Amino acid sequence: MPSTNYRVELDIFCGPLDLLLYLVRRSEVDILDLPIARIAAQFIDFLQVLEQIDLDLVGDFVVMASTLVEIKSRLVLPQPEEEQPAETPVSEEDPRSELIQQLLEYKKFKEAATALETRAEQWQERYPRLSNERPQASKDPSADRIKEVELWDLVSALGRVLRRKDVEDEARIRYDDTPIQVYVERIGTQVRKEGEVRFFTLFDAETIRSKIVGMFLAVLELLRHHGFRAEQPENFGDIIIRPPLEDAETPAEPPKLELPSIEQLQEGLSRGETPPPSE
């Protein structure tokens, strides 16, 4: 099973509030008018995909899914008018109010963190650190981010792959013991060779569910730690995986100047030939 060889840290997925904020933004709705029924259904769809990746990491997401279902149930229950004091604002009686407040707070802190990160990058370009000022400790891998395409876009794409009709049924799942590093090397080589590879084409010939998940984890590994890039030209469209920028920016090696050997020079001098001027 892929997850036994490669653990996906919960920090990578940023928690259930991050997924909720993504769903709100993708649905183009106002947080203050949170459509619980629609968001809850989408959240549960993502939860089912996360369970395929690693069952141990989804505890907080299960709790949030339960909260969404509870709020949805409370919204459809009739509320007697006598239980609502006239002086109490309706917003305080809304079952969504506490969750909406959490989302607003999370959104505020996330935007502040993004602004600080952007400013730090700008200052880094303007005032680059000297080599002896750079920290010696290695960067925490869980702090890496997939910037071009949100992680949730990749999880959504994985869900569409797993829902294909030709993917094996849950009742007869077979586990693939191939190490994740094998998929990393295989997919990385393919992307470097072709220049770009569409996400869905990686799984065209695969029907084993655990193998699909293993390949997905390899794509995450390439994006987070090997400099590969992901782009999504259209919303909900296919995701394009590209090789690292340094591959395209590395200049071609200049042609090597073939110099004559000492024996050839001596032979030429013996015949009275003048050696060519050095470049």
Side-chain angles (χ1 to χ4, degrees):
M1 184 175 181
S3 60
T4 60
N5 297 323
Y6 184 90
R7 290 298 306 276
V8 179
E9 298 296 335
L10 183 62
D11 289 344
I12 300 175
F13 288 93
C14 303
L17 282 178
D18 194 73
L19 174 54
L20 275 180
L21 192 60
Y22 166 80
L23 293 176
V24 169
R25 186 169 62 252
R26 190 177 73 168
S27 300
E28 299 181 348
V29 296
D30 188 353
I31 294 180
L32 296 175
D33 190 26
L34 190 65
I36 286 293
R38 187 199 317 173
I39 296 297
Q42 295 174 357
F43 191 94
I44 292 174
D45 286 341
F46 273 81
L47 176 59
Q48 292 172 347
V49 178
L50 293 179
E51 289 174 341
Q52 299 290 331
I53 298 174
D54 192 335
L55 190 60
D56 294 334
L57 70 82
V58 298
D60 291 340
F61 292 87
V62 172
V63 173
M64 178 59 73
S66 301
T67 301
L68 292 172
V69 172
E70 179 185 357
I71 294 174
K72 176 183 174 182
S73 301
R74 290 169 60 187
L75 286 172
V76 299
L77 290 176
Q79 298 293 332
E81 295 182 1
E82 59 270 20
E83 293 184 4
Q84 297 182 2
E87 66 277 6
T88 302
V90 176
S91 60
E92 295 183 6
E93 294 295 332
D94 192 330
R96 304 170 299 174
S97 58
E98 183 177 352
L99 180 60
I100 289 174
Q101 186 61 35
Q102 292 178 12
L103 268 178
L104 290 173
E105 289 293 324
Y106 180 81
K107 181 174 182 290
K108 179 174 67 177
F109 284 109
K110 184 171 183 178
E111 289 175 346
T114 301
L116 289 174
E117 182 179 357
T118 301
R119 182 174 298 181
E121 291 176 352
Q122 293 173 347
W123 276 91
Q124 181 66 24
E125 293 177 358
R126 186 178 302 178
Y127 303 107
R129 290 181 176 180
L130 299 177
S131 58
N132 59 355
E133 293 178 339
R134 298 186 183 276
Q136 299 298 322
S138 59
K139 186 177 179 181
D140 180 8
S142 65
D144 291 351
R145 297 180 58 198
I146 300 173
K147 296 183 179 180
E148 291 82 359
V149 174
E150 283 202 54
L151 177 63
W152 299 119
D153 292 318
L154 289 165
V155 176
S156 177
L158 174 62
R160 295 197 290 276
V161 172
L162 292 174
R163 286 192 292 269
R164 283 192 339 224
K165 292 182 179 180
D166 60 334
V167 175
E168 63 183 1
D169 297 331
E170 296 282 353
R172 53 185 183 89
I173 289 180
R174 291 174 292 167
Y175 290 111
D176 175 57
D177 296 327
T178 305
I180 299 299
Q181 189 58 35
V182 173
Y183 292 129
V184 170
E185 294 175 0
R186 185 183 304 169
I187 296 174
T189 300
Q190 179 182 351
V191 175
R192 290 181 189 273
K193 180 180 179 181
E194 299 181 14
E196 64 176 42
V197 175
R198 293 188 175 273
F199 181 86
F200 289 123
T201 62
L202 291 173
F203 309 93
D204 282 346
E206 302 302 336
T207 59
I208 301 176
R209 187 176 296 267
S210 58
K211 190 171 183 179
I212 291 173
V213 172
M215 293 173 64
F216 173 77
L217 295 179
V219 171
L220 288 187
E221 176 74 12
L222 289 168
L223 295 176
R224 297 181 59 246
H225 301 310
H226 296 266
F228 284 70
R229 299 163 292 144
E231 301 172 3
Q232 191 175 35
E234 300 178 0
N235 291 335
F236 313 113
D238 202 352
I239 295 172
I240 299 175
I241 311 298
R242 301 185 188 277
L245 282 173
E246 55 265 24
D247 287 8
E249 295 174 354
T250 302
E253 294 185 3
K256 293 182 179 180
L257 179 64
E258 295 185 0
L259 298 177
S261 64
I262 295 178
E263 290 78 6
Q264 291 173 329
L265 286 174
Q266 290 176 343
E267 183 180 354
L269 289 174
S270 65
R271 294 199 300 265
E273 297 177 357
T274 304
S278 60
E279 296 290 341

